[in-house]
Amino acid sequence: MIAFALHGGAGAKQGRDYSVEIANMREIAEFARASLETGARAFDVVTEAVRQLEDSGLYVAGKGASPNMAGNYELDASLMNGADQTCGAVTALQGFANPVLVARAVMEHTPHVMLAGEGAALFAHEQGFDPIADEAEYFTRAGRFESNHPPGTLAHGTVGAVCLDRHGQLAAATSTAGVFGKLAGRVGDTPLIGAGTWADGQTAISCTGQGEYFIRVNASAQLAFRHKGGQGLAEAADATLQQIVDMGGEGGLIAINAQGEVIAPFRSQGMKRAWFSGDGDIQSEAF
């Protein structure tokens, strides 16, 4: 059994044309399927899928970032390998294009889980990642017209991927440029293992939405523990998201379990997402 899901963020706005994003997500899902069918590992697949989402400039992550209130581009990412629960993260990373790759390097080349700010940028430089030459030219400020844009809301935007490979291993990865109009140094759920990202031997989850609320309920780990304790995958997700809604928040998630069940629930106007399970058709949607 193989299965895969990705998201391009909650906050898709009714009435907007997302045909470009839907086609892009389908293309990345097709890449994932081809990779998994040839024996690729889940952790490698989610890393590459999120890198492609970052590089597209279509979502509020990677190239799609907008500046914070200080005028700087601060990027976050995390990823987790369910096989051994190793993980890595960066937050408030400036000057580099692919936070998901830097997060993986933190996992693979340091004894730490997360690096932040100047330390993350110094590490990225030391690891040989190429800096962005011209940030004003590089970043596309994606999502400026979606339902999650200020004023009047705690805005958000994220990409992520979860995967089950033919070896029975699960993995998850998440990346974001954070909320629009955020304060310098703001950290949401995306780089926090257990809040925005989780993978173990049974479940893999990537979240998107108003990160402050996802942190408050430790959303991804809570879902995984609920499922491990006997709740169905969809039931566990609904219970977790309902807590966020009850607090006044919004968002969604993608989750997959070791049996290849895939879900992509959301509590917002829409959520850009694509998925497949086994030899089923690839689905790619925004609402």
Side-chain angles (χ1 to χ4, degrees), residues 193-198 200 203 205 207 213-229 231 233 235-244 247 253:
I193 299 299
T197 304
W198 185 266
D200 56 26
T203 318
I205 305 105
C207 299
Y213 295 97
F214 283 76
I215 293 169
R216 288 164 67 182
V217 303
N218 210 31
S220 59
Q222 181 189 155
L223 193 165
F225 296 159
R226 283 176 174 272
H227 190 41
K228 188 174 183 178
Q231 282 191 341
L233 190 63
E235 180 185 5
D238 287 344
T240 302
L241 289 174
Q242 189 59 50
Q243 293 178 50
I244 290 166
M247 291 178 177
L253 58 88

Side-chain angles (χ1 to χ4, degrees), residues 119-205:
L122 177 61
F123 173 76
H125 175 74
E126 291 173 345
Q127 289 293 308
F129 290 99
D130 293 329
I132 297 169
D134 185 340
E135 289 188 335
E137 180 179 343
Y138 179 77
F139 290 111
T140 65
R141 304 191 182 196
R144 284 171 288 169
F145 305 104
E146 294 192 339
S147 68
N148 56 357
H149 196 277
T153 182
L154 181 61
H156 50 84
T158 315
V159 302
V162 295
C163 186
L164 170 69
D165 64 31
R166 65 193 299 179
H167 313 285
Q169 297 179 354
L170 292 155
T174 314
S175 178
T176 189
V179 299
F180 298 93
K182 67 181 180 180
L183 292 173
R186 178 263 184 184
V187 178
D189 66 312
T190 292
L192 302 182
I193 299 299
T197 304
W198 185 266
D200 56 26
Q202 176 62 25
T203 318
I205 305 105

Side-chain angles (χ1 to χ4, degrees), residues 5-274:
L6 65 81
H7 68 77
K13 188 175 182 179
Q14 294 285 344
R16 286 191 60 80
D17 180 8
Y18 290 98
S19 56
V20 173
E21 289 88 343
I22 288 169
N24 176 254
M25 292 187 296
R26 180 179 294 278
E27 181 179 344
I28 295 172
E30 289 171 347
F31 146 79
R33 168 168 274 168
S35 299
L36 290 167
E37 287 177 343
T38 59
R41 299 284 180 173
F43 191 63
D44 294 327
V45 172
V46 298
T47 303
E48 175 60 16
V50 169
R51 185 201 65 78
Q52 291 183 29
L53 289 164
E54 290 175 340
D55 285 351
S56 72
L58 297 172
Y59 317 95
V60 187
K63 189 175 183 178
S66 290
N68 62 20
M69 291 183 69
N72 299 316
Y73 296 86
E74 293 185 328
L75 309 183
D76 306 331
S78 66
L79 67 182
M80 190 168 188
N81 188 354
D84 55 9
Q85 293 187 253
T86 51
C87 48
V90 291
T91 189
L93 174 68
Q94 294 187 36
F96 293 87
N98 291 114
V100 72
L101 300 183
V102 183
R104 179 163 177 167
V106 170
M107 187 196 85
E108 294 179 335
H109 301 298
T110 81
H112 309 306
V113 168
M114 181 188 294
L115 294 178
E118 291 183 6
L122 177 61
F123 173 76
H125 175 74
E126 291 173 345
Q127 289 293 308
F129 290 99
D130 293 329
I132 297 169
D134 185 340
E135 289 188 335
E137 180 179 343
Y138 179 77
F139 290 111
T140 65
R141 304 191 182 196
R144 284 171 288 169
F145 305 104
E146 294 192 339
S147 68
N148 56 357
H149 196 277
T153 182
L154 181 61
H156 50 84
T158 315
V159 302
V162 295
C163 186
L164 170 69
D165 64 31
R166 65 193 299 179
H167 313 285
Q169 297 179 354
L170 292 155
T174 314
S175 178
T176 189
V179 299
F180 298 93
K182 67 181 180 180
L183 292 173
R186 178 263 184 184
V187 178
D189 66 312
T190 292
L192 302 182
I193 299 299
T197 304
W198 185 266
D200 56 26
Q202 176 62 25
T203 318
I205 305 105
S206 173
C207 299
T208 172
Q210 294 171 318
E212 283 73 5
Y213 295 97
F214 283 76
I215 293 169
R216 288 164 67 182
V217 303
N218 210 31
S220 59
Q222 181 189 155
L223 193 165
F225 296 159
R226 283 176 174 272
H227 190 41
K228 188 174 183 178
Q231 282 191 341
L233 190 63
E235 180 185 5
D238 287 344
T240 302
L241 289 174
Q242 189 59 50
Q243 293 178 50
I244 290 166
V245 171
D246 290 345
M247 291 178 177
E250 69 169 38
L253 58 88
I254 51 174
I256 190 168
N257 66 17
Q259 290 71 50
E261 181 181 1
V262 179
I263 60 170
F266 56 92
R267 303 292 184 270
S268 56
Q269 285 195 39
M271 183 175 76
K272 299 178 285 289
R273 61 206 187 278

